[in-house]
Amino acid sequence: MDYFIETAPLETLQADCTMIGVYQDLQLCLPANALDNNTRNLINSVINRGDIKGKLGDSVLINVVPNSAIERILLVGLGENKPLSAKNFRKALYAAVNSVKKPHLKAVACSLAECSVSNSDWQWKTRQIVEVFSDAVYQFTALKSDKETESKLEKIIISAPQEQITLAQAGLAQGKAIAEGVALTKHLSDLPGNICTPTFLAEQAIELGKKSDKLTINILEESDMEALGMHVFLSVSRGSREPAKLISLNYQGGDKDSKPIVFVGKGLTFDAGGISLKPGPGMDEMKYDMCGGAAVLGTLLAAAQMNLPLNIIGLIPSSENLPDGYANKPGDIWTSMSGKTVEILNTDAEGRLILCDTLTYAERFNPDVVIDLATLTGACLVALGRVPSGLLGNDDALCNDLLTASETANDSLWRLPLWEEYQEQLKSNFADLANIGSKDGGTITAACFLSQFTKNFRWAHLDIAGTAWRSGPTKGATGRPVPLLTQYLINRAKGL
């Protein structure tokens, strides 16, 4: 979709539909009053006859607007007549865009940024419109013979007053960059494992590198990883005919001497569990085990689109995890790049195996911080559900920065403890550590395992197992945590 900022009066905008907000006390957002007068009080007559109560998320589409160039008006409930919370503003936006998808409208004018949102300016509100509308109209049709989509939206006009044009334009640029990053992440994640292999993921990184002269790509093959001593990583790919890849993206937007921010994204393009085979029901969703890697690509795309003055490294260890006569087995012991030996007690705990060697590899970049993101544990879904991603780390300042970014981005996090007592579960009689602990605190012990390889830098871990995709009738990738990571980068670029 194309997005535009327009400062002309709302009643003069040319669109198939104009969106305006209505509060529970049946008051309109300010710019809508002129529109109501222009349509001979049509809007208030619809409100007064009770067609809409103004409750948050309510909507009514007025399909006929006599004596006006405006074809339709969508009334959107905003709830109480007071500044909205950030979450309620986004709820209103989702209600609005979902109401105009099925009528197959092509151009929509949106005045909802005119309503007041607590602690939010026009830059943030404009950005949210772009992010929410883009998210709502996304559909995966690449592999369908019928490419028909639910939405026909092509053009979104965001109404803004002249005095707010600078902030609105800044929000538009940020929103478009983040929306593109989210769309790329969702598309790659929704692809099936027979198409999105480690090699395919590497090819997408190479294509991404062509979009910015500040971005260079390097692909490590299995022979390269063998030479580096990444035997724990390579133990995962032994059962697959698809060769593993370690994808490295280097974005140089800052001073050459500035330490980079390093993102490490788990890129398991399909996870059957290996010898510790997963149950059949729901196994198709294990194509989503590469959502962390896809989100690294999406975040780097957004950073490049915004031309952020930062140095950023993206590392994506990518493999499949399948059962085979050559696959690693419970009880096997492998030596990591760090020199630590790992006893494999469960081959389905493979994400931490490809991540641990990659975290060691990240040290060579002399990072300022390292943030890994992974669909790592089902225990995180049990503990936190599908609302926040789990956050653990060895540096309070870094974790607090991520929490702050999550609040701005509406991409929620919840921090879990990383206490020394949990390390006891990873002790092995035969190796330096085991790859799993007991059933208790599975998300925490997984992070404890990774922490053994992050002692030389500031590190945070995001467990996105509950937030990277949805199950059920709306099954599909969410694109998280691209908004969070991009907001973190925006804050860093501002020196926050």
Side-chain angles (χ1 to χ4, degrees), residues 90 94 127 130-139 174-190 291 294-303 305 409 411 467-468 470 476-487:
R90 286 172 61 90
Y94 273 112
R127 171 178 145 187
V130 178
E131 287 188 45
V132 168
F133 281 32
S134 296
D135 179 59
V137 302
Y138 167 87
Q139 275 188 265
Q174 287 183 352
K176 290 172 70 173
I178 294 169
E180 284 194 43
V182 168
L184 174 64
T185 301
K186 290 163 75 171
H187 177 74
L188 292 176
S189 301
D190 283 334
C291 285
V296 168
L297 292 176
T299 302
L300 266 293
L301 172 59
Q305 294 282 61
D411 191 351
T467 57
R470 294 180 296 269
T478 64
R480 294 176 65 183
V482 171
L484 157 67
L485 296 180
T486 308
Q487 184 62 52

Side-chain angles (χ1 to χ4, degrees), residues 118-324:
S118 298
N119 304 313
S120 301
D121 59 13
W122 270 85
Q123 179 172 326
W124 184 89
K125 289 187 290 184
T126 304
R127 171 178 145 187
Q128 296 309 305
I129 291 173
V130 178
E131 287 188 45
V132 168
F133 281 32
S134 296
D135 179 59
V137 302
Y138 167 87
Q139 275 188 265
F140 184 87
T141 60
L143 302 179
K144 291 186 176 183
S145 55
D146 181 1
K147 305 294 184 183
E148 187 80 9
T149 58
E150 183 182 29
S151 172
K152 300 298 182 184
L153 283 175
E154 297 175 355
K155 181 181 180 181
I156 306 296
I157 303 166
I158 300 172
S159 176
Q162 183 62 48
E163 62 270 21
Q164 299 290 350
I165 189 66
T166 300
L167 286 175
Q169 292 287 8
L172 182 71
Q174 287 183 352
K176 290 172 70 173
I178 294 169
E180 284 194 43
V182 168
L184 174 64
T185 301
K186 290 163 75 171
H187 177 74
L188 292 176
S189 301
D190 283 334
L191 285 169
N194 62 312
I195 292 176
C196 188
T197 62
T199 298
F200 179 88
L201 209 55
E203 290 169 350
Q204 304 316 298
I206 292 169
E207 288 302 309
L208 181 59
K210 297 176 182 178
K211 296 184 178 182
S212 172
D213 57 7
K214 296 181 179 179
L215 188 59
T216 57
I217 312 299
N218 184 40
I219 310 298
L220 271 65
E221 305 293 343
E222 288 190 342
S223 57
D224 301 314
M225 290 182 269
E226 183 74 31
L228 288 168
M230 294 183 168
H231 305 297
V232 172
F233 180 168
L234 292 174
S235 74
V236 176
S237 66
R238 289 169 60 88
S240 171
R241 296 183 184 183
E242 293 287 343
K245 307 284 182 179
L246 178 54
I247 303 162
S248 177
L249 304 95
N250 188 334
Y251 173 81
Q252 290 292 309
D255 296 334
K256 64 176 183 178
D257 296 327
S258 295
K259 291 184 176 182
I261 297 161
V262 177
F263 294 128
V264 178
K266 176 185 173 185
L268 252 291
T269 55
F270 191 81
D271 178 22
I275 297 299
S276 306
L277 192 67
K278 291 178 180 291
M283 194 192 287
D284 63 292
E285 296 186 14
M286 288 301 97
K287 69 178 184 178
Y288 289 120
D289 220 9
M290 44 66 68
C291 285
V296 168
L297 292 176
T299 302
L300 266 293
L301 172 59
Q305 294 282 61
M306 289 186 285
N307 201 29
L308 291 179
L310 300 168
N311 295 333
I312 310 165
I313 302 294
L315 299 175
I316 305 171
S318 188
S319 173
E320 292 181 334
N321 185 29
L322 298 174
D324 178 80

Side-chain angles (χ1 to χ4, degrees), residues 26 33 35 40 46 83 99 105 116 126 134 179 190 206 243 249 261 278 292 312 327-328 353 357 425 440 480 495:
L26 306 184
N33 290 316
L35 179 60
R40 300 180 183 180
V46 170
S99 296
L105 308 180
S116 179
T126 304
S134 296
D190 283 334
I206 292 169
L249 304 95
I261 297 161
K278 291 178 180 291
I312 310 165
N328 64 358
L353 301 181
D357 276 339
Q425 293 190 38
D440 300 335
R480 294 176 65 183

Side-chain angles (χ1 to χ4, degrees), residues 50-105:
D51 288 1
I52 185 169
K53 304 295 186 183
K55 292 181 180 179
L56 181 68
D58 280 356
S59 66
V60 169
L61 183 63
I62 304 173
N63 271 299
V64 179
V65 184
N67 307 312
S68 174
I70 295 172
E71 295 186 17
R72 301 171 186 83
I73 295 173
L74 180 72
L75 305 181
V76 183
L78 300 176
E80 294 184 54
N81 194 347
K82 64 180 184 180
L84 277 70
S85 68
K87 288 185 177 180
N88 282 348
F89 180 62
R90 286 172 61 90
K91 286 180 182 178
L93 293 179
Y94 273 112
V97 67
N98 286 331
S99 296
V100 298
K101 287 195 300 185
K102 290 184 179 179
H104 285 185
L105 308 180

